[in-house]
Amino acid sequence: MFSELSAVSYHLLNLLLHAVVCIVFLKVCKLFLDNRTSLVAALLFAVHPIHTEAVTGVVGRAELLSSIFLLAAFLSYTKSKGPDNSIVWTPIAAAVFLVAVATLCKEQGITVVGICCVYEVFIAQGYTLPVLWDTTVQILLGKGSIPYSLLQTLLKLVVLMFSTLLLVVIRVQVIQSQLPVFTRFDNPAAVSTTPARQLTFNYLLPVNAWLLLNPSELCCDWTMGTIPLVESFLDVRNLATLLFYSLMGSLVIYSVRYSGDSSKTVLMGLCLMVLPFIPASNLFFPVGFVVAERVLYVPSMGFCILVAHGWKKLSNKSRLRKLSWIFLALVLFSHAVKTFHRNWDWESEYTLFMSALKVNKNNAKLWNNVGHALENEKNYANALKFFKQATRVQPDDIGAHMNVGRTYKNLNRSKEAEESYLIAKSLMPQVIPGKRYAARVAPNHLNVYINLANLIRANESRLEEADQLYRQAISMRPDFKQAYISRGELLLKMNKPLEAKEAYLKALELDGMNADLWYNLAIVYIELKDPNEALRNFNQALELNRRHKLALFNSALLMQESGNPKLRPEAKKRLLSYVEEEPHDANGYFNLGMLAMDEKKDLEAEKWMKKAIQLQHGFRSALFNLALLYSQTARELDALPVLEELLRYYPDHIKGLILKGDILMNQKKDTKGAKKCFEKILEMDPNNVQGKHNLCVVYFEERDLLKAERCLVETLALAPQEEYIQRHLSIVRSKIMALKAAGHAASPAGGQSLPTEQENEAKGKKKKTPFEKLKDEKDIPKMNAPTTQKNKDHIKTKSQHEKNSDKEVKQKSTKEIKDIENKRVAALKRLEEMERILSGE
C-alpha cells in the first residue's frame, strides 16, 4: 500500500523482523545456555550468510514471521509447568494460538509442537531414554503404576497433539486433499525410480548440513540439474549420507541417554535443527525444490546452538581458550562479510542469477532467468544466447525452447520462432484418442500451443491450423481460460462470430469476474450487428472495472454512433474518464470533438480537435474535421492552413483536396489553385465523380464552355443516374447555343473570349449591381462539396453555396426573371436533396 514496487521498505521491514527473531532466539538460548554462550549463538544466527535469501528476498517474510511466532509459542509453553509439577493452562492455550499463527505464516510453524513435546518429556520432566524404557517395561509387566508426573505429561501432550491434528485437517481442507503440481524440472528426484529417489533424497540432508557448516557457495535456485541424481549404491556421495547419519545418530543417542545439562542442550539444538526441516526434507512428501536456502532459517537456530555449545566446551579448556576466541571472531567476521557481499547479489534479477551461474552452470532455470532479465531490458540478442544455452544444458526443458521461440519472434525471425515452438510442442505429452489425458503438466507449458498459434495466425492461409492448436490446448486442459480467449479472437478474424461468442461464454464460465472477457464479448456482439447487447456487455465490463480503458472508449463510440441524443452525455462522461486514464491518446480528444460537433458545440469541438492534433501531429481525421468545422462556421480562410497541413502529411487525401478546391474557388477566387486540386484528384482516381464534376465547373469559370461540355459528358458517363450532372450539362449547352446565336466563340481557344465587365463598360453598357447580376446568373453549374463518411474520415459537411458566373446574359422581363428564380430555387432544393442522399454513405 505504501511502497508499491519500491524495494527499500520491504528489505528494511525484513531486517527489523530478523532483528526481532534474533532477540527472541536469544531468550530461547538462555533456557539451555549461559548468558555468554547464548549471546554467541544469537550472534552466529544474526550474521549467518544462509539467511540472506530469507531476509533480503521479500518472499522470505514468511520464514521471518513464522519464526517469531514459533519461538514465541515455545517460550509460552515452557511456562506451562507450575509449582509441584502442576499444569498451567494459560501458557498452553497461548502456545496453541501462537502455533496456529505460525502455521498460517508458513506450514513449518506446526513443527514447534514436536519441539514442545520433546521439551516436556526430556527437559521439563527430566526423563532420559533408559528411564522411559524402564518405566514402560514396569508398567507393561504390571509391577508398577503410571507416575503422576507422567500422566500430567501425557495430558499436556494429548492437548498439543489434538490441536496439531486440527491444524493439519484444516490445512488439508484448504488444499482440497491434493498436493501441489510440481514438474520433474522442479524436483527431478521426486519423479525418479527406486533406489535413485531414496538415495538422492537422503543425500540432500548432508548437502543442507554442509550449507550450514560452510556457506561459501550460495545459490538462489538449486532445482533441475544442480545436484545430479544419486542413482547407484556405488556412488561415492553415499559416503556423505552415511557420515551424516552416523554423526546425527551419535548426537541423538548422547542427548537422550544422559541427563546432564550438556545432553539437554544438544537435544534441544537437534530438535530445532531437525524437526522444522522435516516438511522440506522430501522424506515424507515431495516438495517443489531440491534445496532452498530460506527453509534453513529455523534449522540454523539449532545448528547455532550446537556450534555455540561446542565453542563453550573448547573455551573452557585453558589450552584452547585463546584459540577458540580467535576462531569465533574469525567466523563471525567472515560470516558478516559474506552476508554483506551476498546482499549485493540480490540487487537485481540479472545480478542474482548471474551470481548463481558462478556457483552452478548445470541449472537450465538459471540460464533462462538471466535471459528473462535481459529480455525485460529489450536486450533480445543477448537474451537469446542464454535461452539457447538453457536448451543445451537441459534439452528436454519445454520452457527453455518456448523462451527461444518468443525471443526469435521479438527479433522478427518467425521461421526460427516456429521451429523452436514445434520442438517445445514435441516434448509435451501426447493426447491419445479415446484415453483420458492424465499427465501432470505445468500450466505455463500449455502456452506453447497459444504462442505457436499466435505466431502462425499472422498467415491468413494457416488460420485453421492455428484453431486446431487452440482446440488441442483446450482438450488437454478444459479449464485453460487463455486458450478460449485466444481462440475467440481467432474466430473473429475468421469471420465466425457465433463460434467466437461460444468461446468467450465458456471463458466467462471459468472467470465471470474478468472485465476483459466481457469487453471481448461486446466486440463479438458488434460483429453480430447487435449494438444493444454489445453496450450491455461493455457496461458489465465497466461494473467490474470502472477504469477499463478500452470499454470506456468503445462504449462511448457505440453510444455516439447510435445517433441517440440521450446517450451523448454518458458518452461524453466516458470519454472524459478515458482521457483521464490515457491523457496522451489523441483518439480520446478527437472523439470528444466529434461528439461536440454532433451537439453543435463548435468552440468545444474546435478545442478538442486542436488538442488531438497537438498530441498527434498529422492526425488525419482530426485535421480534416477541424477544417470542415471551420468551413461550416463560415471560417473558410481558417480552414485553408489546416488543409495545407493535412495534405502535407496525406497528399492523396481526396476529400481534403475537394474541400480545399471548393474554398479556393468560392472564397479565394483562385481558379488555378482549385483546378490543381481537382486535377490531382483525377490523377489518383480518374473515376472520381465529385472531382471530375468540380473540374468541369472550373472549365466553366474559365469560360471554356466546350471543354466544360466534354468534361460533363465524361462525368455523366461515370454517373448516368445523377440528375444534377445532366442538368448542369444542359445549362452549359444552352450557354454555348446562346453564345453562338450572339456570334461569340464558345471557347477562349478560338481567340475570342466572353465579354468582361470592363469591356461592357467601354461599350457604354451600364455596370450591373451584384443583386442584378445574381438575378441574371440563374442556372450555373454548382460545385460539389465532399460527402460525409463518418467513422472513416469522420467527415461532416454542409451544402456549399454555388459560384455565380460574372458573364452577363440577355436582359429579361421582371416576370421572366421571377419565373427563372422560382425554377432556380426548386432546382437548388432538388440538388441539395440529392447531395444529402449522396452524403449518407
Side-chain angles (χ1 to χ4, degrees):
M1 182 184 296
F2 297 106
S3 300
E4 296 182 347
L5 293 181
S6 174
V8 176
S9 65
Y10 295 95
H11 192 187
L12 178 61
L13 182 55
N14 273 16
L15 283 171
L16 294 174
L17 291 174
H18 179 57
V20 172
V21 173
C22 292
I23 293 169
V24 180
F25 177 58
L26 178 62
K27 292 194 69 174
V28 171
C29 290
K30 288 181 179 181
L31 295 173
F32 320 109
L33 299 168
D34 58 61
N35 289 340
R36 185 182 68 179
T37 312
S38 298
L39 182 61
V40 169
L43 287 174
L44 285 169
F45 177 80
V47 299
H48 202 297
I50 202 72
H51 300 154
T52 311
E53 182 173 321
V55 179
T56 307
V58 69
V59 71
R61 180 77 54 84
E63 313 287 339
L64 302 171
L65 292 172
S66 180
S67 299
I68 291 173
F69 294 111
L70 181 150
L71 294 174
F74 177 70
L75 285 173
S76 177
Y77 184 82
T78 59
K79 299 174 183 177
S80 64
K81 182 179 177 181
D84 302 323
N85 209 21
S86 60
I87 300 175
V88 182
W89 289 106
T90 302
I92 294 177
V96 170
F97 172 76
L98 291 168
V99 169
V101 176
T103 306
L104 288 172
C105 294
K106 190 165 186 177
E107 290 88 341
Q108 69 181 25
I110 203 170
T111 60
V112 72
V113 173
I115 298 172
C116 292
C117 290
V118 173
Y119 172 83
E120 177 66 30
V121 173
F122 293 99
I123 309 298
Q125 302 300 330
Y127 288 109
T128 62
L129 191 60
V131 172
L132 283 175
W133 176 259
D134 291 340
T135 304
T136 304
V137 169
Q138 292 294 325
I139 293 170
L140 292 175
L141 294 175
K143 295 181 179 179
S145 61
I146 303 175
Y148 178 73
S149 62
L150 186 58
L151 284 173
Q152 291 214 320
T153 298
L154 289 174
L155 180 60
K156 291 165 76 173
L157 295 184
V158 167
V159 172
L160 284 177
M161 297 308 296
F162 179 78
S163 63
T164 303
L165 182 61
L166 182 62
L167 287 173
V168 170
V169 170
I170 294 172
R171 184 67 182 94
V172 170
Q173 288 296 318
V174 169
I175 62 174
Q176 298 178 350
S177 304
Q178 290 183 344
L179 290 174
V181 177
F182 301 119
T183 69
R184 59 192 177 88
F185 301 111
D186 297 321
N187 191 347
V191 294
S192 300
T193 57
T194 303
R197 173 178 175 148
Q198 290 75 18
L199 291 175
T200 303
F201 282 160
N202 281 280
Y203 170 68
L204 293 179
L205 300 178
V207 169
N208 282 280
W210 181 251
L211 286 174
L212 291 173
L213 187 64
N214 178 30
S216 59
E217 293 187 342
L218 300 178
C219 181
C220 62
D221 193 291
W222 294 81
T223 58
M224 303 188 87
T226 303
I227 299 176
L229 296 174
V230 181
E231 299 179 298
S232 168
F233 288 103
L234 300 178
D235 194 312
V236 70
R237 290 175 293 174
N238 289 319
L239 295 175
T241 305
L242 291 173
L243 180 61
F244 172 79
Y245 277 113
S246 299
L247 179 61
M248 293 298 291
S250 301
L251 290 173
V252 169
I253 291 171
Y254 169 76
S255 62
V256 298
R257 186 172 182 179
Y258 302 104
S259 59
D261 290 340
S262 178
S263 61
K264 291 179 180 179
T265 301
V266 172
L267 180 60
M268 291 313 300
L270 287 173
C271 285
L272 276 169
M273 186 167 68
V274 174
L275 294 179
F277 183 72
I278 286 176
S281 66
N282 282 292
L283 296 177
F284 297 98
F285 48 84
V287 294
F289 52 83
V290 179
V291 174
E293 293 167 12
R294 65 180 179 277
V295 302
L296 293 174
Y297 188 78
V298 177
S300 68
M301 295 178 186
F303 174 79
C304 290
I305 288 175
L306 292 176
V307 172
H309 183 59
W311 172 83
K312 176 187 175 184
K313 293 282 188 183
L314 292 175
S315 64
N316 286 340
K317 296 180 179 180
S318 58
R319 289 183 299 174
L320 299 175
R321 181 178 296 116
K322 187 178 293 185
L323 194 61
S324 66
W325 278 102
I326 291 172
F327 276 105
L328 175 63
L330 183 62
V331 168
L332 289 173
F333 177 76
S334 62
H335 277 44
V337 171
K338 175 66 176 177
T339 300
F340 179 80
H341 183 265
R342 176 66 173 154
N343 265 273
W344 291 106
D345 291 341
W346 288 76
E347 184 179 11
S348 67
E349 285 190 344
Y350 179 78
T351 57
L352 177 63
F353 296 119
M354 282 300 292
S355 70
L357 282 176
K358 294 175 185 177
V359 175
N360 172 33
K361 291 181 170 55
N362 295 322
N363 187 337
K365 189 185 288 187
L366 296 177
W367 293 99
N368 279 321
N369 286 338
V370 175
H372 286 310
L374 292 169
E375 185 180 34
N376 291 338
E377 297 173 358
K378 311 297 183 186
N379 190 351
Y380 298 122
N382 282 331
L384 183 61
K385 296 177 184 177
F386 284 90
F387 289 143
K388 281 188 170 183
Q389 181 61 28
T391 62
R392 286 190 281 268
V393 170
Q394 190 86 36
D396 58 350
D397 182 7
I398 297 172
H401 290 287
M402 290 172 62
N403 292 335
V404 172
R406 186 181 61 255
T407 309
Y408 273 131
K409 183 181 178 183
N410 288 330
L411 292 171
N412 296 319
R413 295 166 64 178
S414 300
K415 183 180 178 182
E416 293 93 335
E418 184 175 348
E419 290 172 356
S420 297
Y421 284 141
L422 288 172
I423 294 173
K425 180 174 173 286
S426 68
L427 295 171
M428 293 287 289
Q430 301 302 307
V431 179
I432 302 174
K435 290 190 177 182
R436 186 179 176 185
Y437 178 78
R440 305 184 85 182
V441 179
N444 62 309
H445 285 173
L446 287 173
N447 283 324
V448 66
Y449 296 98
I450 306 299
N451 294 346
L452 181 57
N454 290 344
L455 180 68
I456 66 175
R457 66 192 264 185
N459 186 340
E460 295 288 339
S461 64
R462 302 180 68 184
L463 298 182
E464 289 292 345
E465 186 181 346
D467 188 35
Q468 178 61 34
L469 288 167
Y470 291 135
R471 283 182 286 168
Q472 188 172 354
I474 291 169
S475 70
M476 296 178 78
R477 184 168 178 173
D479 63 344
F480 193 10
K481 179 183 68 177
Q482 187 56 47
Y484 291 106
I485 295 173
S486 298
R487 185 165 185 251
E489 294 170 358
L490 177 68
L491 291 169
L492 274 178
K493 188 175 182 180
M494 296 170 71
N495 198 25
K496 297 180 179 180
L498 288 174
E499 292 182 43
K501 173 184 168 184
E502 294 302 317
Y504 285 129
L505 288 173
K506 182 63 178 177
L508 281 169
E509 289 178 15
L510 300 171
D511 186 7
M513 302 302 290
N514 189 322
D516 291 334
L517 285 175
W518 289 103
Y519 168 80
N520 289 350
L521 189 58
I523 299 299
V524 172
Y525 280 113
I526 289 177
E527 293 294 322
L528 290 171
K529 305 293 188 291
D530 190 347
N532 292 330
E533 191 64 24
L535 188 56
R536 189 186 72 80
N537 284 278
F538 279 138
N539 292 339
Q540 182 65 36
L542 290 171
E543 281 185 23
L544 295 170
N545 179 7
R546 294 195 174 278
R547 314 306 292 179
H548 194 291
K549 292 180 284 191
L550 290 175
L552 285 169
F553 183 79
N554 286 288
S555 62
L557 281 188
L558 201 60
M559 292 175 177
Q560 184 179 355
E561 291 171 2
S562 70
N564 185 350
K566 294 180 180 178
L567 294 177
R568 287 175 187 165
E570 179 62 24
K572 181 178 180 180
K573 179 182 175 183
R574 294 187 181 187
L575 285 173
L576 288 171
S577 298
Y578 175 76
V579 297
E580 282 181 20
E581 295 292 314
E582 291 287 342
H584 302 296
D585 184 4
N587 290 292
Y589 299 101
F590 168 73
N591 282 285
L592 280 168
M594 294 301 297
L595 199 60
M597 289 178 74
D598 284 337
E599 296 178 320
K600 310 300 181 186
K601 297 178 179 178
D602 298 332
L603 292 177
E604 185 179 336
E606 180 183 358
K607 179 186 75 173
W608 294 126
M609 291 296 182
K610 284 183 174 180
K611 178 69 174 177
I613 295 166
Q614 178 186 350
L615 288 172
Q616 182 180 325
H617 298 293
F619 192 159
R620 177 187 175 113
S621 298
L623 285 167
F624 181 75
N625 280 280
L626 179 59
L628 203 54
L629 177 65
Y630 286 146
S631 176
Q632 289 176 339
T633 52
R635 297 169 60 187
E636 287 88 349
L637 297 182
D638 290 335
L640 273 180
V642 180
L643 288 169
E644 292 288 352
E645 184 178 354
L646 170 68
L647 295 170
R648 185 169 69 252
Y649 285 103
Y650 307 100
D652 57 348
H653 195 289
I654 290 177
K655 291 181 175 62
L657 288 167
I658 289 175
L659 184 57
K660 180 183 177 183
D662 189 36
I663 294 172
L664 289 174
M665 191 78 171
N666 291 318
Q667 304 299 322
K668 299 282 285 184
K669 314 302 181 186
D670 184 358
T671 308
K672 290 183 179 179
K675 185 177 182 181
K676 288 180 181 178
C677 291
F678 302 137
E679 286 176 342
K680 186 168 185 179
I681 292 170
L682 295 177
E683 286 176 11
M684 295 181 290
D685 181 10
N687 297 324
N688 187 284
V689 176
Q690 283 182 311
K692 195 163 186 68
H693 173 267
N694 289 358
L695 184 61
C696 300
V697 175
V698 171
Y699 294 149
F700 184 88
E701 292 295 326
E702 291 177 339
R703 301 182 178 83
D704 195 342
L705 299 182
L706 294 178
K707 199 168 185 179
E709 180 189 22
R710 288 195 301 272
C711 178
L712 285 167
V713 169
E714 293 172 1
T715 308
L716 187 60
L718 294 174
Q721 76 283 1
E722 299 294 354
E723 181 271 338
Y724 74 92
I725 301 176
Q726 298 175 6
R727 183 162 51 83
H728 291 173
L729 179 59
S730 299
I731 292 170
V732 171
R733 284 176 172 169
S734 299
K735 215 56 149 156
I736 293 172
M737 290 176 64
L739 287 173
K740 286 181 178 179
H744 293 287
S747 171
Q752 296 180 7
S753 60
L754 295 176
T756 64
E757 290 178 330
Q758 289 82 359
E759 290 172 332
N760 286 333
E761 285 184 280
K763 294 176 182 177
K765 293 184 179 179
K766 182 182 175 183
K767 182 176 180 180
K768 296 193 175 188
T769 65
F771 177 75
E772 290 173 320
K773 285 181 63 179
L774 180 62
K775 289 195 294 183
D776 283 349
E777 297 155 3
K778 53 200 177 303
D779 287 325
I780 308 301
K782 182 177 179 181
M783 295 278 289
N784 270 351
T787 58
T788 302
Q789 192 179 9
K790 203 168 183 180
N791 297 324
K792 291 185 182 177
D793 275 326
H794 300 277
I795 298 166
K796 303 178 177 220
T797 65
K798 64 175 184 178
S799 299
Q800 302 292 324
H801 293 294
E802 57 185 343
K803 178 74 173 89
N804 294 320
S805 170
D806 58 1
K807 175 66 186 79
E808 230 180 345
V809 294
K810 185 172 67 174
Q811 295 284 347
K812 293 180 176 63
S813 67
T814 304
K815 184 179 179 182
E816 287 176 319
I817 290 174
K818 287 182 179 179
D819 289 341
I820 291 170
E821 193 64 28
N822 289 335
K823 290 179 181 178
R824 176 180 178 277
V825 170
L828 280 175
K829 287 181 179 178
R830 288 196 302 273
L831 180 57
E832 287 171 357
E833 183 180 356
M834 179 64 71
E835 288 177 347
R836 280 196 297 271
I837 294 171
L838 287 172
S839 66
E841 63 179 277

